[in-house]
Amino acid sequence: MLSSLFLPLRNVLSPQEALEDANAHLENARKAKRSELALTYCNDAQAALARIRTSVRKALVLSVGVEDQAIRNEIASTYFELGELLVNLKHRDKAQTCYKNSEKWG
């Protein structure tokens, strides 16, 4: 039963797909009426962005996708937006981590 909760390695998202996933979670966080739900969406967005780092680190995604500066800028922007949402939710430590990741990608 638990195995269905985890994606097998062959289903690793490309950087662009993970970025789209993260942005969808951020949009849901912006629309959430309860802060607890918004934080859940923020955590999901952060996990999607972390999948980019993991896939690149493990060389499961072709380097072409991540070397493209436009995608790197989008990733940096998404990390920054996530940081802004986390500040609004009074999670400054998590926001600082997002800001640092934004600088690394940008």
Side-chain angles (χ1 to χ4, degrees):
M1 178 119 161
L2 287 177
S3 64
S4 65
L5 297 174
F6 301 99
L7 293 174
L9 286 178
R10 68 180 180 273
N11 289 335
V12 171
L13 298 177
S14 71
Q16 186 63 42
E17 291 168 326
L19 184 60
E20 290 170 7
D21 188 35
N23 282 318
H25 290 301
L26 283 180
E27 185 62 30
N28 288 331
R30 286 186 203 98
K31 293 178 181 178
K33 299 200 185 308
R34 294 180 309 138
S35 61
E36 298 86 13
L37 184 58
L39 182 59
T40 298
Y41 286 126
C42 286
N43 289 338
D44 292 343
Q46 198 164 13
L49 290 167
R51 290 177 74 183
I52 296 171
R53 283 196 322 266
T54 301
S55 63
V56 170
R57 207 176 294 131
K58 291 182 178 181
L60 295 174
V61 175
L62 295 175
S63 61
V64 174
V66 177
E67 295 302 321
D68 181 23
Q69 190 59 44
I71 292 176
R72 293 182 64 85
N73 290 343
E74 287 181 54
I75 294 167
S77 176
T78 302
Y79 266 117
F80 186 83
E81 290 178 42
L82 178 57
E84 294 292 295
L85 278 170
L86 288 167
V87 166
N88 291 337
L89 294 170
K90 299 182 181 11
H91 286 268
R92 287 174 174 61
D93 290 343
K94 285 185 173 186
Q96 286 302 316
T97 300
C98 290
Y99 293 142
K100 288 178 185 175
N101 283 326
S102 176
E103 289 177 12
K104 288 178 186 177
W105 282 97

